[in-house]
Amino acid sequence: MDAITVEALSKRYGDTLAVNDISFAVAPGRTIGLLGGNGAGKTTTIAMLLGLLIPSSGRITVLGHDMATDRFAALARMNFSSPYVALPHRISVFENLMVYCHLYDVRDAKGRIAELASQLDLHELLARPAGDLSAGQKTRVALAKSLINRPDVLLLDEPTASLDPDTGDMVRAWLERYRAESGCAILLASHNMAEVERLCDEVLMLKRGRIVDRGSPADLLARYGRDTLEAVFLDIARNTGAAA
Amino acid sequence: MRPALRRIWGMMYRHLALYRRSWPRLLELAYWPTLQMCIWGFTASFFAGRMANAGTPGAGAVTLGMLLGAVLLWEVALRSQMGVAISFLEEIWSRNLGHVFVSPLRPWELVAALIAMSVIRMLAGVLPAVLLAWVLYAYNLFALGLPLIVLAVNLMVMGWWVSLGVVSLILRHGAGAEALAWSVLFGLTPFAAVFYPVSVLPPYLQPVALALPAAHVFEGMRALLAGSAFPWFSLTAATGLNLLWLAAAGLLFARQFRAARVRGALMSIGE
């Protein structure tokens, strides 16, 4: 059974069709990338998958639960990270993580926080107010929050934004290991093409709310006759290139 | 602990951690109730003294009791209302709603956590003022006895449904509606018969007052202070009205929450 199934999903705001009849599935243990320019529909799609936004039409099933009727059962086994959604900045990193241990009913909360602190190098940050952290440190803490409940489905919006290359590489390696060990399905929206190329089994290219192309990074590179996903991205965005 | 209770505790823990780290926030809780009590207490003492000089000392004491009781009990409603609305606004100000609403936390659990925080905030704000009223004016609010619980609970519930209305308006209009969190119940004060009987109001305003549970609560309080029997009618009316208004506010909240999910407002409500 697929971890995520999206069927004929659309979202309309007045006259604007933000997401237009998209369908895809994510199997356990696989990572799917959402690529597209600003306004392509990535954030809207993720918001609908999380139940933050009600679709205009279509159906979303996560871990066998219909998100229209049974979203809380799925949300307990999902999580999400985005640099654009903050954590309360006046309480400490430890307190923030403890809040989410309670919300996700995590057993041995202190043990889980200590485990994540070791894996993501957060020990020195735990006692500090979240608002005092650098952008890169906040991104690591947000990642820890997204893994607090050992999710079976992980939605990541720019997971390595603001990280230096060394830390970014560490986080990517950690995500790869977590996915391999847990069988977690990951949906990744990123503008970092090297990251998408490294982490994703399949890439969905979005433009004006539609999936305009899809395939593995290697397939897309071959189809467009390009050396990098960035070049493929530009071909699609500008309607140029072999397969455009 | 059951998962639902643990999620409610999680949201409370977040707010309690905030207060633990911020003494100005703690101080602010007690500041306004204490200030109001002092201003009204001195004013009432002044009038009580004038009445004593005019040869009606008993009436002065009753007036002091009614005014101080009204001030302190109205603060129960005000602090309960602000406790819910401001705790919700804290989530907006910290841009945290996106994380909260993608967790398994149900909307009713969020409301339960906000109400629990409002009880804590109300007690932290009003109890120091009650204590100070006893020190400064020898006024003991607890002398009202067990009926005090019925009066206070009704005023707390009124604060909750008013704040659910405010939260619904924030969900509909965004953080631009946040000023209502501080002002809306003050705006109802003239109609709530806090300091005077409903009969003092012009006849065309009296139905407005009688639609508010607070008017019945304060009529009941004044009857108790005047030595009457337990005011069953007033307090039954207050309880019934509270249940009606609470149900209406709950429906409004549920409707606005769903509308916010249709519009995508939960993603951008802090902006």
Side-chain angles (χ1 to χ4, degrees):
Chain A
M1 184 180 68
D2 287 321
I4 302 174
T5 312
V6 172
E7 299 166 74
L9 188 68
S10 295
K11 181 65 189 180
R12 179 180 286 280
Y13 295 107
D15 295 334
T16 307
L17 204 50
V19 171
N20 185 0
D21 193 26
I22 65 172
S23 299
F24 62 90
V26 188
R30 288 178 60 86
T31 302
I32 302 292
L34 287 179
L35 273 188
N38 297 329
K42 304 186 298 293
T43 303
T44 304
T45 302
I46 287 178
M48 287 191 281
L49 282 165
L50 288 163
L52 275 178
L53 190 59
I54 296 177
S56 302
S57 61
R59 185 163 185 251
I60 300 169
T61 309
V62 178
L63 299 164
H65 302 282
D66 187 331
M67 291 301 282
T69 56
D70 193 21
R71 73 179 191 280
F72 294 112
L75 287 173
R77 295 170 59 198
M78 298 169 72
N79 216 314
F80 160 69
S81 172
S82 167
Y84 310 112
V85 180
L87 292 167
H89 44 269
R90 294 192 193 279
I91 65 176
S92 73
V93 170
F94 177 86
E95 288 162 342
N96 264 298
L97 294 176
M98 187 56 86
V99 168
Y100 286 95
C101 282
H102 290 311
L103 292 184
Y104 286 93
D105 197 24
V106 175
R107 305 290 162 201
D108 184 21
K110 287 181 181 171
R112 180 62 179 151
I113 292 171
E115 187 183 2
L116 285 168
S118 294
Q119 291 167 348
L120 292 167
D121 195 19
L122 298 176
H123 274 303
E124 289 179 9
L125 308 181
L126 286 177
R128 290 173 55 186
D132 289 356
L133 306 182
S134 69
Q137 289 167 333
K138 282 179 183 167
T139 303
R140 272 157 53 207
V141 171
L143 200 59
K145 174 261 157 192
S146 73
L147 296 163
I148 201 91
N149 59 330
R150 298 183 178 87
D152 295 317
V153 169
L154 191 52
L155 306 185
L156 300 172
D157 189 6
E158 303 282 352
T160 56
S162 312
L163 295 182
D164 62 66
D166 179 40
T167 314
D169 180 68
M170 183 198 85
V171 166
R172 281 177 213 114
W174 198 88
L175 282 172
E176 285 174 315
R177 197 167 63 247
Y178 176 74
R179 182 186 62 173
E181 288 170 1
S182 67
C184 176
I186 300 176
L187 189 71
L188 170 76
S190 176
H191 286 124
N192 183 329
M193 303 298 157
E195 177 171 280
V196 171
E197 209 167 329
R198 173 173 167 180
L199 291 177
C200 294
D201 301 297
E202 186 183 0
V203 178
L204 308 177
M205 306 297 288
L206 286 171
K207 188 174 178 183
R208 295 194 196 101
R210 295 188 71 92
I211 296 176
V212 292
D213 211 340
R214 65 203 304 167
S216 70
D219 285 346
L220 288 169
L221 294 176
R223 204 180 308 153
Y224 284 78
R226 296 292 189 177
D227 296 329
T228 63
L229 267 185
E230 185 162 347
V232 174
F233 177 89
L234 290 174
D235 281 346
I236 291 173
R238 295 170 184 172
N239 291 321
T240 56
Chain B
M1 198 187 296
R2 291 180 58 186
L5 287 177
R6 193 166 176 206
R7 289 190 291 270
I8 292 169
W9 167 244
M11 291 308 295
M12 292 175 66
Y13 174 90
R14 171 251 193 280
H15 290 285
L16 293 171
L18 188 65
Y19 285 106
R20 192 169 68 87
R21 290 179 170 273
S22 177
W23 66 263
R25 272 186 165 81
L26 274 177
L27 194 65
E28 188 266 339
L29 291 179
Y31 177 77
W32 286 110
T34 305
L35 190 70
Q36 289 274 37
M37 190 279 301
C38 286
I39 292 170
W40 282 96
F42 288 126
T43 307
S45 292
F46 167 70
F47 284 115
R50 294 289 291 259
M51 285 178 183
N53 291 339
T56 52
V62 170
T63 303
L64 179 73
M66 283 185 181
L67 279 175
L68 279 178
V71 167
L72 292 170
L73 282 174
W74 190 228
E75 284 296 328
V76 169
L78 288 169
R79 299 303 132 191
S80 298
Q81 182 260 307
M82 288 185 198
V84 171
I86 292 175
S87 298
F88 183 75
L89 282 170
E90 293 275 9
E91 302 298 346
I92 291 180
W93 294 331
S94 60
R95 294 173 58 233
N96 186 41
L97 277 181
H99 284 311
V100 168
F101 286 134
V102 303
S103 78
L105 184 82
R106 277 69 165 166
W108 75 264
E109 293 166 355
L110 173 69
V111 172
L114 296 176
I115 285 175
M117 280 312 301
S118 109
V119 173
I120 293 170
R121 285 177 54 112
M122 184 277 292
L123 290 173
V126 176
L127 284 180
V130 171
L131 185 67
L132 204 60
W134 180 69
V135 171
L136 290 179
Y137 313 111
Y139 177 75
N140 180 11
L141 184 68
F142 297 110
L144 281 170
L146 285 179
L148 175 65
I149 297 172
V150 186
L151 300 172
V153 167
N154 266 297
L155 290 168
M156 282 162 60
V157 174
M158 180 172 168
W160 298 340
W161 63 253
V162 169
S163 64
L164 270 183
V166 171
V167 169
S168 301
L169 286 171
I170 292 169
L171 285 171
R172 176 69 186 83
H173 297 287
E178 70 180 43
L180 291 171
W182 288 271
S183 58
V184 68
L185 212 45
F186 281 111
L188 289 179
T189 308
F191 312 107
V194 179
F195 303 110
Y196 40 78
V198 174
S199 58
V200 167
L201 291 168
Y204 60 91
L205 282 181
Q206 289 184 15
V208 178
L210 293 173
L212 296 175
H216 300 277
V217 167
F218 287 108
E219 294 285 19
M221 181 203 76
R222 280 186 287 270
L224 280 170
L225 287 172
S228 304
F230 185 82
W232 286 105
F233 178 78
S234 293
L235 295 182
T236 305
T239 305
L241 283 169
N242 262 328
L243 290 174
L244 282 176
W245 280 111
L246 191 61
L251 283 174
L252 180 67
F253 172 78
R255 190 173 169 157
Q256 287 304 330
F257 185 78
R258 182 175 169 81
R261 287 180 62 221
V262 170
R263 291 194 317 274
L266 297 181
M267 299 185 293
S268 57
I269 200 163
E271 295 167 4

